[in-house]
Amino acid sequence: MSEQESESLKQTLFDTIEAERGRLKTIARDIWENPEVALQESESSERLQSALREEGFEVTTGVGGIETAFVARYGEENPVVGTMGEFDALPGMSQQAKAEREPVEVGAPGHGCGHNLFGVGSLAAAIAIKRSISRNDLSGSVVFFGTPAEEAGGGKVYMVREGAFDDVDAVISWHPGWYNAPGKGSCLAVDAFDFTFQGETSHAAASPESGRSALDAVQLLNTGVEFMREHIPDAARIHYVIQNGGSAANVVPGEASVEYLVRAPERVEVEHISEWVCDIAAAAAQMSRTDLTATKTSGMYGVLPNHTLADAIRKNMEYADFPLDDEQATFAAELRETLGDIEDSLQYIPESEREAARKEAMFSRPINAPDEGQTGSYSTDSGDVSWNVPLGRFRAATWPVGTPAHSWQAVAAGRDLGTVGMEFAAKTIAATLADLLEDSELRRQARAEFGERSASHEYESPLPEGADPYELVNR
């Protein structure tokens, strides 16, 4: 395909997405107005599935043992390309679409990470590619992965374990943010644990010798981990929270529990530190003469970057427009004012771009990957996908400059303002998927880079044997 033919094809993809703009905005708003937390996203998942079925996709549900996880496929030929969509909300993040803190319902969930936009943006790209395949403009198959529970334990890890991504040549995905840029960095691998100690209750004053404090065990564990920190790599992170420490000061706690997260840039480091933490937990039980139940609840890999796909994404960002209308621009400026000083946030983009970003409410111009060679201090279940198939990732501007994820401002932007970035993302994904379907050399290079980067470590699911995602909700 000549460059002129390629540009014409991409314009057709963009026209398809623009023609569906009203329907796409409606779906995104419906999901925003009915936020559902991890593993409970039944309506949100069904909303996306219905749109795909209407387009002729074959939809398989319950993937990875998760009711809201699904795979939608169109086509039976090779090559096979895919995209992913998240749709879970965050607890306690309810917020109206206005430039002041005002929940829709106090304590209710809200889309503080823009997953209502994430899912629909990827949906739009999949539909555009499907229509091009059906017109014989493109050859191959397209797959949409409906991936729930990113915010709690990682639904994608369960889908990977079931082999959902095994026959896909490459996946292109995105995430809401405040700038437009491909991703060339990684993030922290993570393990999650619950430690529950069982002791003996007694009257804390009258008969303390009869008691065995489960809370003492938790405190001994936490203290041991604090001394351990001196001897782990600088980039590693360990967080914990006491979930249950007893009910009354004059009762020796018979049961206590603590949740731990262990993070590090390399999976092998996480496993080493996790083993050490578990040893400390066992020692804490021995010292306090309590019984320990240690449960690994989840695990994830860090992201394996793919510069070949990142470069293809960056090129296609130049083709995609950013159709910000006057109403959206006004609201973006109002939200931007609520953020105050954003200088710390500007450190995430190259210094050469910061002055321009300071002057704009929405930073719409694409920039080069700001994270090349870096390891972000976050974790995502996209990491496990990236260790099984070449994955290209990028951010698109759905929030005003400097807006942090998981903030009320991000929720407020997600209903209407963020749809401009959602459309930009849809066009970027569609154009890159088209390149992958048409260009065998691009597929070969992406696969070769994937092979080189993954050669150092054979992927094994970080999930414990018999792991059930619904235990994350019920524990």
Side-chain angles (χ1 to χ4, degrees):
M1 182 180 291
S2 68
E3 183 173 349
Q4 184 176 3
E5 289 172 328
S6 176
E7 290 182 3
S8 176
L9 171 61
K10 290 173 183 178
Q11 186 57 56
T12 300
L13 294 170
F14 297 169
D15 291 344
T16 298
I17 292 168
E18 290 173 7
E20 296 294 320
R21 181 180 293 160
R23 180 165 73 118
L24 297 169
K25 285 184 175 182
T26 297
I27 298 172
R29 176 179 281 204
D30 286 350
I31 296 173
W32 184 92
E33 291 179 342
N34 298 279
E36 299 170 302
V37 297
L39 301 176
Q40 299 176 34
E41 324 96 318
S42 56
E43 292 185 13
S44 302
S45 178
E46 180 56 37
R47 195 76 171 85
L48 297 172
Q49 291 178 44
S50 294
L52 289 158
R53 288 192 183 96
E54 289 173 8
E55 287 290 332
F57 282 76
E58 181 179 338
V59 180
T60 302
T61 60
V63 179
I66 303 176
E67 293 177 6
T68 52
F70 66 92
V71 175
R73 179 183 294 263
Y74 182 85
E76 298 179 355
E77 300 179 3
N78 291 321
V80 181
V81 296
T83 187
M84 302 187 295
E86 297 170 9
F87 38 83
D88 58 327
L90 286 159
M93 288 298 302
S94 178
Q95 168 63 33
Q96 297 189 37
K98 57 172 57 178
E100 60 183 280
R101 182 67 172 113
E102 187 175 338
V104 176
E105 179 184 347
V106 175
H111 277 284
C113 218
H115 291 179
N116 65 306
L117 304 169
F118 187 165
V120 178
S122 300
L123 169 77
I127 289 174
I129 291 294
K130 171 264 170 181
R131 292 187 184 178
S132 284
I133 292 174
S134 68
R135 292 193 300 266
N136 295 319
D137 294 339
L138 291 169
S139 298
S141 303
V142 60
V143 182
F144 179 98
F145 297 93
T147 59
E150 190 275 337
E151 301 288 2
K156 297 184 191 68
V157 189
Y158 290 89
M159 298 175 73
V160 166
R161 185 176 65 173
E162 191 170 293
F165 296 85
D166 286 356
D167 70 338
V168 183
D169 291 289
V171 173
I172 304 298
S173 186
W174 74 293
H175 198 282
W178 61 263
Y179 55 81
N180 300 313
K184 289 187 174 181
S186 186
C187 65
L188 300 176
V190 62
D191 275 346
F193 295 90
D194 276 352
F195 298 108
T196 299
F197 297 89
Q198 294 286 343
E200 293 288 342
T201 59
S202 69
H203 195 291
S207 56
E209 72 281 0
S210 300
R212 294 293 180 265
S213 174
L215 180 58
D216 284 355
V218 167
Q219 290 179 302
L220 286 165
L221 165 58
N222 294 345
T223 300
V225 168
E226 292 304 329
F227 282 103
M228 170 193 177
R229 290 184 193 276
E230 181 182 357
H231 307 289
I232 62 175
D234 289 344
R237 298 287 185 269
I238 307 175
H239 338 287
Y240 57 80
V241 61
I242 298 175
Q243 300 164 307
N244 172 24
S247 56
N250 67 339
V251 178
V252 174
E255 179 175 303
S257 57
V258 60
E259 178 186 7
Y260 264 79
L261 294 178
V262 177
R263 305 182 200 250
E266 301 295 335
R267 183 71 216 164
V268 65
E269 293 176 330
V270 169
E271 292 167 358
H272 169 70
I273 297 170
S274 294
E275 183 179 0
W276 195 349
V277 170
C278 290
D279 286 345
I280 295 172
Q286 186 174 11
M287 285 188 286
S288 60
R289 295 194 173 182
T290 59
D291 295 322
L292 167 66
T293 301
T295 304
K296 182 180 180 183
T297 57
S298 69
M300 301 178 198
Y301 275 64
V303 168
L304 196 70
N306 194 294
H307 291 198
T308 300
L309 294 178
D311 289 340
I313 289 167
R314 178 65 181 87
K315 180 179 178 181
N316 283 311
M317 283 182 169
E318 296 295 335
Y319 292 112
D321 62 336
F322 196 87
L324 186 72
D325 63 33
D326 292 342
E327 185 175 348
Q328 289 172 321
T330 298
F331 185 56
E334 292 172 353
L335 266 184
R336 166 69 180 79
E337 287 298 314
T338 70
L339 295 169
D341 186 0
I342 62 167
E343 287 303 310
D344 287 346
S345 297
L346 293 178
Q347 302 304 309
Y348 290 104
I349 63 174
E351 187 172 357
S352 59
E353 304 287 351
R354 293 173 193 168
E355 188 57 35
R358 288 187 185 99
K359 297 176 181 178
E360 298 185 32
M362 293 292 285
F363 190 40
S364 60
R365 184 176 72 247
I367 62 174
N368 295 331
D371 61 348
E372 185 171 356
Q374 299 179 15
T375 299
S377 296
Y378 66 95
S379 304
T380 174
D381 55 0
S382 292
D384 289 75
V385 176
S386 73
W387 278 85
N388 285 270
V389 62
L391 173 65
R393 302 169 71 231
F394 68 97
R395 290 190 180 274
T398 60
W399 313 320
V401 172
T403 301
H406 297 200
S407 66
W408 69 261
Q409 290 94 341
V411 185
R415 192 188 71 175
D416 299 312
L417 171 59
T419 59
V420 62
M422 179 185 79
E423 182 175 318
F424 174 84
K427 292 177 178 178
T428 301
I429 294 171
T432 310
L433 292 180
D435 286 341
L436 284 163
L437 288 173
E438 286 297 306
D439 189 345
S440 60
E441 179 61 17
L442 177 62
R443 297 195 303 274
R444 188 198 67 77
Q445 291 176 4
R447 177 60 66 172
E449 181 180 349
F450 168 79
E452 292 171 4
R453 291 185 182 274
S454 62
S456 62
H457 184 95
E458 183 176 353
Y459 178 85
E460 295 181 10
S461 177
L463 295 172
E465 187 175 350
D468 180 352
Y470 291 97
E471 290 180 358
L472 299 173
V473 174
N474 298 323
R475 63 190 169 96

